[in-house]
């Protein structure tokens, strides 16, 4: 099993009040020609398949689209308001304070394949660390959502973006070289599982860049093609 592509279901119904969804999907196709799009459903959902980097680019495109529509709504609402000068200045100051607090609360989010996330965490831990930021991951099956939040310094926002870019770069490189093989337990007993795990621990000395992820019914082996092939062949023997 190689890390070639993933499938994500997008819900674009939130744009229904502002855009024709069919036109939006066509714009998404032009924006991300390497992705494959399924039919647009009545509830606004559309399946998209492709590489993680391409999906990340599409996600950023939709976030910018949503932000621009939100700003248009704000400008329209303000155009209907004619407050007195002092009140306007007061509101402007309040909005500035609110925007400052919002900026402080902002965080960077990206989605990774869970196996790539675990491999990165094990062999490239510095990619998940950064100056003046706190990086955490929440795993949900095959997907892990990584949150990057400022630790409170003035340079936090810049550091968040730098940390996110570093993680994305590592993810892209690992996606190119990693492979996963699954070893199912022939003996589902506790003793059988323990023998498999002990054997894997011994083999790891010969394959130090292989990550073994244990589950109740199987072991997942993640690494380069050569390492995974050699590791799994020895386990099978």
């Amino acid at each position: 099993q190689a890390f070639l592509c993933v499938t994500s279901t997008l819900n674009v119904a939130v744009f229904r009040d502002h855009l024709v969804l069919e036109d939006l999907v066509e714009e998404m196709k032009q924006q991300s020609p390497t992705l494959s799009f399924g039919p647009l459903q009545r509830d606004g959902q559309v399946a998209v398949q492709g590489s993680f980097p391409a999906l990340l680019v599409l996600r950023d495109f939709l976030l910018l689209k949503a932000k621009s529509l939100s700003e248009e709504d704000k400008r329209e609402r303000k155009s209907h308001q004619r407050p007195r000068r002092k009140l306007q200045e007061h509101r402007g100051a309040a909005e500035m304070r609110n925007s400052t607090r919002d900026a402080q609360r902002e965080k960077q989010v990206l989605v990774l394949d869970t196996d790539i996330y675990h491999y990165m965490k094990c062999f490239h831990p510095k990619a998940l660390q950064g100056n003046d930021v706190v990086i955490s991951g929440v795993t949900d099956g095959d997907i892990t959502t990584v949150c990057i939040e400022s630790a409170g310094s003035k340079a936090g926002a810049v550091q968040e973006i730098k940390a996110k870019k570093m993680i994305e770069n590592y993810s892209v490189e690992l996606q190119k070289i990693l492979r996963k093989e699954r070893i199912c337990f022939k003996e589902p007993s506790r003793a059988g599982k323990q023998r498999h795990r002990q054997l894997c621990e011994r083999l790891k000395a010969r394959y130090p860049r292989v990550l073994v992820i244990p589950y109740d019914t199987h072991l997942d082996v993640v690494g380069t093609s050569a390492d995974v092939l050699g590791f799994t062949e020895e386990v099978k023997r």
Side-chain angles (χ1 to χ4, degrees), residues 36-222:
S36 298
F37 290 80
L40 177 64
Q41 304 299 320
R42 289 184 177 181
D43 60 359
Q45 293 192 1
V46 57
V48 185
Q49 187 178 68
S51 67
F52 264 107
L55 284 171
L56 289 173
V57 171
L58 178 62
R59 182 208 61 183
D60 291 341
F61 165 74
L62 291 174
L63 288 175
L64 286 174
K65 176 77 71 175
K67 184 177 180 181
S68 65
L69 291 173
S70 175
E71 290 174 350
E72 286 180 9
D73 283 346
K74 289 179 181 178
R75 285 195 295 269
E76 288 179 2
R77 287 197 298 270
K78 287 180 180 179
S79 67
H80 295 293
Q81 297 173 353
R82 299 181 182 277
R84 291 179 299 176
R85 182 178 180 84
K86 289 185 179 180
L87 180 59
Q88 191 173 19
E89 291 176 352
H90 174 73
R91 287 180 177 175
E95 287 174 2
M96 184 176 294
R97 289 194 297 270
N98 290 335
S99 64
T100 301
R101 286 195 293 268
D102 290 341
Q104 292 173 347
R105 287 195 296 266
E106 282 182 1
K107 59 183 177 182
Q108 299 290 328
V109 178
L110 65 155
V111 179
L112 301 178
D113 179 279
T114 294
D115 294 313
I116 289 180
Y117 170 75
H118 285 314
Y119 194 91
M120 192 184 303
K121 192 173 181 180
C122 180
F123 295 109
H124 303 281
K126 289 185 177 180
L128 297 172
Q129 300 170 1
N131 296 326
D132 300 317
V133 295
V134 177
I135 302 175
S136 59
V138 178
T139 296
D140 182 11
D142 294 335
I143 298 297
T144 294
T145 302
V146 178
C147 295
I148 307 165
E149 298 181 81
S150 170
S153 71
K154 294 181 179 179
V158 175
Q159 295 299 328
E160 286 177 23
I161 295 173
K162 288 179 63 176
K164 179 184 178 183
K165 190 63 178 177
M166 178 180 290
I167 295 172
E168 287 178 340
N169 289 341
Y170 269 100
S171 174
V172 170
E173 293 305 313
L174 292 175
Q175 186 176 333
K176 293 177 182 177
I177 64 172
L178 290 184
R179 175 186 175 89
K180 181 173 77 174
E181 193 75 29
R182 180 159 293 177
I183 301 174
C184 295
F185 294 129
K186 294 181 179 180
E187 301 178 56
S189 65
R190 181 179 297 178
K193 295 177 184 178
Q194 186 64 22
R195 280 196 293 273
H196 268 90
R197 289 169 180 161
Q198 288 175 349
L199 174 60
C200 288
E201 286 299 320
R202 290 197 297 271
L203 287 175
K204 283 181 69 174
R206 297 173 56 184
Y207 299 92
R209 304 297 291 182
V210 163
L211 175 65
V212 179
I213 307 174
Y215 294 93
D216 289 338
T217 58
H218 63 274
L219 297 171
D220 280 345
V221 182
V222 182

